[in-house]
Amino acid sequence: MIFVLLLGLFYSSNVQSQCASFARAVVKPELSPFIHDGNYNATILAEGESVLLRKTVFEGQKYRIVVKGVPELPGLRFRVIDSGSQVLFDNALYEYADTWDFDVQDTRTISVEVTVREDNNPGSSVGGCVAVLFGLSLD
């Protein structure tokens, strides 16, 4: 029993490590020319699953968000929502773009809601790594 638990913890740790490597190697370069903020937000999601990430953004800064999943995933929808539940950006309105650049007028906390879209094949369910990275402009 303990062996199974340890094996499960090792597998989970190994998968998360691979997910962080995906964020560093594949997603981080897409922030360019913005400078990465140093945080690697990455997790494993399956079709239909969602994750919510909160981030404080600061007045006068220009940001880039990159939301990307492994190629095996059917696609990602992400929305940026302010603390008053107003949708600031929805990539479904922009052909499911994986980046968004924005200027911040007031320091505030935003939420990034990421959902793995459902595949049209009901016989299979796919999961994989999803990363959300933020970059800052030096301009």
Side-chain angles (χ1 to χ4, degrees), residues 96-128:
Y96 296 100
D98 56 11
T99 64
W100 183 50
D101 297 348
F102 62 101
D103 296 312
V104 178
Q105 307 303 321
D106 300 309
T107 298
R108 60 183 158 172
T109 300
I110 60 171
S111 297
V112 180
E113 176 188 64
V114 181
T115 303
V116 177
R117 295 169 33 210
E118 298 275 347
D119 191 355
N120 291 333
N121 183 357
S124 69
S125 180
V126 178

Side-chain angles (χ1 to χ4, degrees), residues 57-63 102-105 135-139:
V57 292
F58 297 95
E59 176 182 352
Q61 296 287 329
K62 183 171 185 172
Y63 292 86
F102 62 101
D103 296 312
V104 178
Q105 307 303 321
L136 295 162
S137 175
L138 295 180
D139 293 338

